[in-house]
Amino acid sequence: MEKREQMYEGKAKKVYATDDPALCIVSYKDDATAFNGEKRGTIMGKGVINNRLTNRLMRLLMENGVPTHFVEELSERDTLVKRVKIVPLEVIIRNISAGSFAKRYGVEEGIVFDEPTIEFSYKNDELGDPLMNSYHALALKLATAEEIEAIKAYSFKINEVLKAFLLEHGIELVDFKLEFGRLPDGTIVLADEISPDTCRFWDVETHEKLDKDRFRRDLGGVEDAYQEVMRRIIGD
Ligand code: UDP
C-alpha cells in the first residue's frame, strides 16, 4: 500500500490517503509540541518510537477484545490504519494524580487513586481543548449516548490491559489520553496513538518520569526516556 495525497498534518503526525478509500497511512514525526502548541521542539527518533510503541499496544488491546483502527505497520514511521471519523472528544483516564489534575485540585502529584477517573475534553485547538462532561458532549451532539457508553467502557478496559502489561515492564501507567473514531458502519474503534507523548509513564521503582513531561518541564534526558520505554516494551 502506497501513500497518495496528504490529507492532514497534525502536530506529531501526517495522514495520507491510499488507493483504498477505507484505509490511510499515518506517518509519525519527531516534532513535539506542548501547552497547546506554545512550546515547540524536536525529539530525535520520537516518530520511530511512537509508531512502534503504538502498534505494539494496539495489537495487545486487539488481542484483549478492544477494536482499533490498526491494520499493519509499513515501515519505521508509517502505519496503515482504517480510515475513521474522529469523535471530537479526548478521553483522559487517570490512576495517579499528575499534570492538570494536580494543578486543578491543588494536590501533589503521585496520589494513587482507589479507582481510575475518566474525563473528557472537547477536541478543539482554538478553544484549548476545554474540559467537558458527557452531558455537554451530548448537548453539542459530539457523540450519541450509546457511543459515549461504549467509549467509557472501552477506556476503562484499555486502562486495565495497559496497566497490567506496563507493570510487567517496570512502568507505572499514571494517566493517558485516548481518541476514538467511527468506521463507515458507525462502529466505535480506538484510534490515534498510545505513546510517551500521550501517556504519563513512571518508573515503578524510582518514579522517574519516562514521558513527554521531560520535554514539557525541561527536565532533560527526553530522548533517553523515550528510548528507555521502547527498550523495556519492545527491546532494542
Ligand atoms: N494528554 C495528551 N494530549 C492533550 C492533553 C493531555 O496526550 O492534549 C495526555 C497527557 O500526556 C497525560 C494525560 O493526557 O498523559 C493527562 O494530561 P493532563 O490533563 O494532566 O494535562 P497536561 O498536564 O498534560 O496539560
Side-chain angles (χ1 to χ4, degrees):
M1 194 64 68
E2 280 172 33
K3 288 179 193 163
R4 296 297 175 215
E5 75 279 6
Q6 184 178 307
M7 294 161 55
Y8 169 81
E9 176 159 11
K11 284 172 271 193
K13 299 186 285 295
K14 292 180 184 179
V15 183
Y16 296 89
T18 68
D19 289 336
D20 184 338
L23 300 173
C24 47
I25 293 173
V26 178
S27 188
Y28 287 76
K29 306 189 286 182
D30 286 350
D31 300 356
T33 64
F35 312 119
N36 201 21
E38 270 175 55
K39 183 179 170 78
R40 285 162 193 279
T42 303
I43 302 175
M44 289 288 286
K46 172 172 84 77
V48 173
I49 292 173
N50 285 1
N51 182 42
R52 297 188 59 196
L53 276 175
T54 294
N55 294 341
R56 175 69 189 91
L57 297 176
M58 290 276 180
R59 279 205 175 91
L60 172 76
L61 291 169
M62 291 163 81
E63 287 160 15
N64 283 275
V66 178
T68 84
H69 72 163
F70 176 77
V71 178
E72 186 191 356
E73 189 167 294
L74 299 176
S75 70
E76 275 195 323
R77 289 178 187 269
D78 295 351
T79 292
L80 188 64
V81 298
K82 290 178 188 164
R83 190 163 177 175
V84 298
K85 288 237 157 52
I86 292 286
V87 178
L89 286 174
E90 298 194 344
V91 185
I92 291 171
I93 299 283
R94 301 177 192 271
N95 297 304
I96 301 177
S97 66
S100 69
F101 181 97
K103 192 168 174 204
R104 189 184 321 132
Y105 300 120
V107 297
E108 72 270 33
E109 293 201 318
I111 303 166
V112 180
F113 304 147
D114 290 342
E115 296 294 333
T117 68
I118 189 165
E119 67 206 50
F120 298 108
S121 62
Y122 180 22
K123 190 172 154 64
N124 184 316
D125 280 338
E126 275 163 49
L127 301 176
D129 297 343
L131 194 62
M132 62 168 37
N133 65 33
S134 52
Y135 294 90
H136 300 143
L138 274 176
L140 294 174
K141 295 196 168 20
L142 304 183
T144 66
E146 293 71 28
E147 286 174 334
I148 290 173
E149 281 318 304
I151 286 171
K152 281 185 189 165
Y154 284 141
S155 298
F156 285 122
K157 166 87 183 187
I158 290 165
N159 184 45
E160 292 312 313
V161 173
L162 293 182
K163 212 170 55 172
F165 176 78
L166 291 163
L167 208 52
E168 289 170 20
H169 297 85
I171 295 171
E172 252 176 344
L173 180 59
V174 174
D175 59 28
F176 57 98
K177 185 260 306 177
L178 299 172
E179 294 184 24
F180 292 86
R182 296 182 188 97
L183 295 177
D185 71 357
T187 314
I188 292 285
V189 299
L190 179 66
D192 197 46
E193 66 179 288
I194 312 172
S195 73
D197 273 13
T198 62
C199 304
R200 284 193 172 93
F201 294 142
W202 291 357
D203 180 273
V204 69
E205 302 289 339
T206 64
H207 304 296
E208 184 191 357
K209 296 184 196 305
L210 298 172
D211 56 58
K212 200 164 106 178
D213 271 348
R214 302 205 75 84
F215 170 78
R216 292 189 189 99
R217 303 179 189 184
D218 295 317
L219 299 176
V222 183
E223 277 87 359
D224 287 347
Y226 279 70
Q227 286 278 256
E228 180 59 17
V229 173
M230 168 94 141
R231 193 189 64 76
R232 290 191 194 183
I233 295 175
I234 300 186
D236 292 309

